[in-house]
Amino acid sequence: MPEYNRDRPRILVIHAYSAQNSGDRLLVEETLELLRSVWPDSVVDVIATDAESFRHHPMANHVKFHQWTSAWIPNPKKKASVRVSMLASSLTGGPASVKMLFEQADLVVAVGGGYLRGSSVSEALKTAGAHFGQLDLAARSRARKIYLPQSIGPFPSLLRRRIAGSLKAMDQVLVRDDRSHELFADLGNVERISDLAVLKMAEVRAPRNIEITHGPVVVARELSRPGSYENTLSDLARSDHVVWAIQSTGGGNNDTPLTAKYSPETPKPLQHYLESAENRVVVSTRLHGSLSALLAGKPSVHLGYERKSWGAFHDLGLEQYVLDARRTSATRVLDAVESIRDDPATYWSLIDSRIEAVASQRERLLDSLAVPCQSPTVGQ
């Protein structure tokens, strides 16, 4: 390992996805903001599945983004097996070996999210192809290693043992929902904490909408096993007061085709409405669509579809405003919107009742990220 530089530590951020997905971009940005607040003079590299999407991002002025390349090589004896390459190409400094990035790092930080999943064949393959190689390299690294708030698992027993073995090598594994904590609590280094966007609310206090003057804006996304979800969207589309917005356009997370089925006009990006003077409730099926709305001072009703949904809204005191996307109805959604319209102050007071606990969690996370500065021998 190179000598540890207390003034300019090298930090490697892993598991980034794409700037075209607003939620993933938010998680990357908040990760970098946390690191900058602790290590303002650090040298930061980021490994991303879609590094090209960050090429013109303002962060690219002070952060190097590297492309993670997965090579799927068929095994004639086992059709389902894959092999993941360990190479990345730097968009800002020529070819780079992922292994070298890990060897040079004083601190390895995994962005938050829900990428270590395996409840279906599709999820397991995505974990193997896009993320397991990074997890494995992190486990082997001699740097301090922290996984920021995750939703992890479940996995088939064999894959769980392999994933758990790597996670056990981390200094900290933070999870953002109770189920993830239950699945991996036996590792001893797993701690329940709020989603990064929830933690950000302790720092960012945007002016809040205290009067709702326009109809709701709806953010939709494709769901596996949709249940009554698409019926709910169809019924919402019949309302004259509803407008539609796009939160993600990246790769397999492109919301445009589904949204276009229901929007009578070309849907605008969600950011348009978050920056608008129009006071609307944001009804979002994407969790970070809802959390982005709250950060912008817009109230939100979340159509939850994974355990992360209930975890985040529970942490904010908004349990009554997360509805099961697969089982709810347009009537229940609009009733929730109307309850906010009738009494926005009560809605915001629910968040205020939890914000002190959220702020405390954020401070503990910052303290944890700052640990390397307490030991002059780290990295030697």
Side-chain angles (χ1 to χ4, degrees):
M1 292 287 290
E3 183 178 354
Y4 180 65
N5 186 327
R6 290 177 62 85
D7 297 319
R8 288 182 62 79
R10 295 203 63 131
I11 301 176
L12 178 61
V13 177
I14 60 176
H15 297 298
Y17 176 49
S18 172
Q20 296 185 70
N21 183 302
S22 299
D24 292 283
R25 184 176 67 240
L26 174 64
L27 290 173
V28 172
E29 290 174 346
E30 179 57 11
T31 297
L32 295 174
E33 285 297 324
L34 287 169
L35 293 171
R36 186 181 296 114
S37 67
V38 176
W39 299 103
D41 297 320
S42 58
V43 177
V44 181
D45 294 284
V46 178
I47 297 176
T49 304
D50 181 17
E52 178 65 29
S53 66
F54 290 98
R55 178 186 288 274
H56 300 296
H57 194 282
M59 292 184 299
N61 293 329
H62 57 270
V63 175
K64 288 186 178 180
F65 288 87
H66 306 270
Q67 181 76 34
W68 176 260
T69 304
S70 298
W72 296 74
I73 302 176
N75 185 322
K77 296 182 179 180
K78 297 180 180 180
K79 294 182 180 179
S81 68
V82 298
R83 179 183 176 188
V84 182
S85 70
M86 298 300 180
L87 297 177
S89 57
S90 169
L91 295 180
T92 55
S97 163
V98 165
K99 185 177 180 181
M100 182 177 295
L101 293 175
F102 279 90
E103 289 175 348
Q104 293 174 339
D106 299 301
L107 175 65
V108 175
V109 177
V111 298
Y115 41 80
L116 297 179
R117 307 292 295 279
S119 60
S120 67
V121 173
S122 174
E123 283 186 351
L125 288 175
K126 288 179 181 178
T127 295
H131 299 290
F132 183 76
Q134 296 175 66
L135 172 66
D136 187 55
L137 284 169
R140 298 170 187 270
S141 171
R142 295 172 59 189
R144 178 167 171 78
K145 305 174 283 284
I146 299 176
Y147 267 62
L148 296 181
Q150 308 283 308
S151 292
I152 307 177
F155 298 101
S157 57
L158 183 61
L159 185 55
R160 184 202 180 280
R161 288 195 296 271
R162 191 69 179 87
I163 295 288
S166 294
L167 290 175
K168 192 173 183 178
M170 307 304 162
D171 292 275
Q172 278 186 297
V173 177
L174 306 176
V175 293
R176 60 185 178 177
D177 63 85
D178 295 338
R179 178 60 174 154
S180 295
H181 187 260
E182 292 169 3
L183 287 170
F184 293 93
D186 60 309
L187 298 184
N189 60 347
V190 176
E191 178 184 349
R192 171 72 164 88
I193 192 172
S194 297
D195 184 276
L196 281 184
V198 173
L199 297 180
K200 189 175 181 66
M201 293 193 66
E203 181 191 28
V204 177
R205 302 292 181 91
R208 293 169 170 176
N209 286 176
I210 56 175
E211 181 182 6
I212 307 303
T213 58
H214 292 71
V217 52
V218 179
V219 177
R221 64 153 294 162
E222 294 280 0
L223 293 181
S224 60
R225 299 173 286 102
S228 62
Y229 175 61
E230 293 190 12
N231 290 334
T232 298
L233 297 181
S234 295
D235 291 341
L236 287 173
R238 295 188 182 97
S239 172
D240 295 334
H241 305 295
V242 168
V243 295
W244 299 78
I246 303 292
Q247 196 261 355
S248 177
T249 60
N253 291 293
N254 187 356
D255 299 335
T256 304
L258 177 66
T259 308
K261 289 173 56 178
Y262 302 105
S263 178
E265 301 176 349
T266 301
K268 295 180 173 66
L270 175 60
Q271 194 62 33
H272 167 83
Y273 294 101
L274 298 187
E275 296 173 353
S276 171
E278 297 176 356
N279 296 339
R280 299 179 183 271
V281 176
V282 176
V283 177
S284 178
T285 317
R286 288 197 174 274
L287 173 61
H288 290 92
S290 281
L291 297 180
S292 294
L294 296 177
L295 287 167
K298 312 284 186 182
S300 183
V301 174
H302 178 39
L303 304 184
Y305 60 95
E306 288 183 350
R307 58 188 186 270
K308 64 182 181 181
S309 302
W310 284 268
F313 268 57
H314 172 272
D315 293 349
L316 289 169
L318 298 175
E319 294 94 329
Q320 69 194 81
Y321 294 102
V322 55
L323 306 175
D324 189 330
R326 296 182 174 91
R327 296 183 179 182
T328 195
S329 65
T331 298
R332 291 186 63 194
V333 172
L334 295 175
D335 284 348
V337 170
E338 193 62 27
S339 72
I340 297 173
R341 178 191 290 271
D342 290 343
D343 191 5
T346 294
Y347 180 92
W348 294 115
S349 70
L350 293 172
I351 296 177
D352 289 338
S353 70
R354 300 286 179 89
I355 206 66
E356 185 175 340
V358 170
S360 178
Q361 289 185 41
R362 189 175 187 276
E363 286 303 313
R364 293 201 306 274
L365 175 55
L366 289 171
D367 289 344
S368 182
L369 290 171
V371 163
C373 72
Q374 299 173 5
S375 173
T377 62
V378 173
Q380 294 183 358

